[in-house]
């Protein structure tokens, strides 16, 4: 794919438009973490319905990413980005106006699908329209936006839920992304109209069906299993997911136009990067989710207090993302993961002793580590992907991120719900899980000279 040349005004607008899409996607993953209690009360939702409010978005988002990346090749990256943003924005308005829990769940599911259509196109446009000399800085900004958006969700969600502007409460948090979406759509004609002509013949229908089915069968029981007590259908779904995803892998080796090029995963650097992203994200979303639940439940903090308490983490994440622009390698990823592990162990001790200043300092350090890891990992994997594998990587990276988050919320939730004498002990159980995950991420991400195919260079 040759580099697309843009006029100076279009060059200046390119990243703000694209990164607005990244912001609303990841903001919407976490925005309901603090406000879900108010949703449950306002809409008289049961436990299962409340869980679906959180899970529906992730379900459709994670399932659609790989197929959406290939659709961008066929129909054009700008067209798919605009379609996804339009669907996301309309669904956000519908979700904010939901009269009951099931309408909200449907709105969240459509939001996730819109996000899934957008996400791979953002990375593909960066690869095709940003010169190689400026690409590391663009990818660093992409990583910074991911970090900021992930943490802005619970912070702004808590603030708006507590302040209750115009009596909207959690609905105001849902509407916050609408002006961003409208502005991005208004400016989208300046994006380059490009597709990969070499890959634009057809979308592998068997691979698409197996991918969508397999990820749906995997994500849904992981999201709902703990709250429903792991009934038989959850285990049957997981077994069928294994069958469907195995079939997907086999189909990609035989398809003339695969959704994921087998050569992509043959690259050691890409494999290591994808696993590092998956494992690290098996700790990050669950860390903030369980901390928010614990502060509101066991500590009795308001949504406003809870949201503001995460501010040091958000500020640290922005600072870490800026540091990551210095092109740190795997050693920085390993150190960042270790810092997150230490913060996970420190948080329950500091909260139990009411050492809030130290708690906030620890969260700030954790935010820096999160920002460095997120920005650096995506930058390193994408920068080393060959041109013919860019689409595959654009779909696989956010898929690994979302699947890791889903796994983490499930397993950390199991740890938190394990028998414990006090709420503080329950948090300790969950944070031990977090520390173990981050320790594994550190071991996996460390530099191994001679074996990483350029991962550490």
């Amino acid at each position: 794919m040759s580099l697309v040349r843009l006029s100076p005004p279009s060059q200046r607008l390119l990243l703000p438009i694209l990164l607005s899409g990244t912001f609303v996607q990841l903001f919407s993953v976490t925005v309901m973490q603090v406000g879900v209690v108010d949703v449950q009360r306002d809409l008289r939702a049961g436990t299962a319905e409340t869980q679906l409010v959180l899970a529906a978005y992730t379900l459709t988002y994670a399932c659609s990413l790989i197929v959406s990346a290939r659709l961008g090749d066929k129909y054009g990256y700008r067209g798919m980005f605009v379609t996804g943003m339009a669907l996301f924005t309309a669904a956000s308005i519908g979700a904010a106006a939901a009269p009951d829990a099931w309408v909200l769940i449907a709105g969240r599911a459509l939001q996730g699908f819109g996000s899934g259509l957008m996400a791979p196109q953002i990375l593909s446009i960066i690869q095709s329209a940003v010169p190689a000399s400026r690409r590391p800085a663009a990818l660093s900004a992409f990583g910074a936006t991911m970090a900021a958006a992930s943490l802005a969700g619970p912070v702004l969600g808590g603030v708006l839920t507590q302040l209750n502007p115009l009596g909207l409460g959690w609905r105001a948090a849902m509407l916050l992304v609408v002006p961003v979406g409208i502005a991005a759509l208004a400016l989208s004609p300046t994006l380059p109209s490009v597709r990969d002509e070499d890959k634009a013949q057809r979308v592998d229908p068997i691979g698409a069906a197996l991918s969508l089915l397999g990820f749906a069968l995997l994500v849904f029981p992981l999201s709902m299993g703990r709250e429903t007590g792991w009934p038989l259908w959850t285990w049957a779904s997981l077994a069928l997911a294994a069958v469907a995803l195995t079939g997907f892998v086999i189909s990609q080796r035989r398809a003339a136009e695969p959704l994921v090029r087998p050569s992509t995963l043959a690259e050691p650097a890409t494999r290591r990067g994808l696993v590092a992203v998956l494992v690290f994200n098996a700790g990050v979303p669950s860390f903030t989710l369980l901390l928010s639940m614990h502060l509101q439940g066991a500590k009795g903090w308001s949504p406003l207090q809870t949201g503001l308490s995460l501010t040091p983490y958000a500020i640290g994440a922005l600072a870490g993302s800026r540091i990551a622009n210095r092109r740190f390698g795997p050693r920085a990823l390993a150190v960042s993961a270790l810092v997150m592990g230490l913060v996970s162990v420190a948080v329950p001790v500091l909260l139990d002793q009411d050492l809030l200043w130290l708690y906030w300092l620890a969260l700030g350090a954790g935010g820096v580590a999160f920002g460095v890891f997120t920005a650096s990992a995506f930058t390193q994997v994408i920068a080393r992907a060959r041109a013919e594998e860019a689409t595959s990587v654009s779909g696989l990276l956010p898929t690994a991120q979302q699947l890791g988050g889903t796994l983490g919320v499930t397993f950390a939730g199991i740890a938190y719900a394990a028998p414990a004498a006090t709420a503080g002990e329950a948090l300790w159980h969950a944070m031990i899980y977090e520390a173990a995950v981050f320790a594994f991420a550190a071991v996996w991400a460390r530099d191994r000279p001679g074996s990483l195919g350029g991962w550490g260079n």
Side-chain angles (χ1 to χ4, degrees), residues 337-378:
L338 281 176
V339 170
M340 281 297 299
L342 292 173
V343 169
S344 300
V345 173
V347 159
V349 176
L350 298 174
L351 282 176
D352 186 59
Q353 298 297 318
D354 288 325
L355 299 173
L356 294 185
W357 282 107
L358 289 176
Y359 160 74
W360 288 325
L361 286 174
L363 278 188
V368 171
F370 170 53
V372 168
F373 191 102
T374 301
S376 295
F378 270 65

Side-chain angles (χ1 to χ4, degrees), residues 9 23 32 129 175 178 259 296 359 380-381 398 421 431 444:
F23 180 85
M32 298 307 297
L175 287 171
V178 173
L259 296 175
Q296 289 187 83
Y359 160 74
Q380 290 176 50
V381 174
M431 291 303 160
W444 182 265

Side-chain angles (χ1 to χ4, degrees), residues 268-276 443-446 448 451-452 455:
T270 302
R271 286 201 310 270
R272 295 196 66 78
L274 288 171
V275 173
V443 171
W444 182 265
R446 76 184 191 277
R448 296 181 183 181
S451 65
L452 299 183
W455 168 248

Side-chain angles (χ1 to χ4, degrees), residues 188-199:
S188 63
T190 63
L191 294 176
S193 180
V194 62
R195 63 177 181 167
D196 194 329
E197 299 291 347
D198 295 332
K199 305 174 189 174

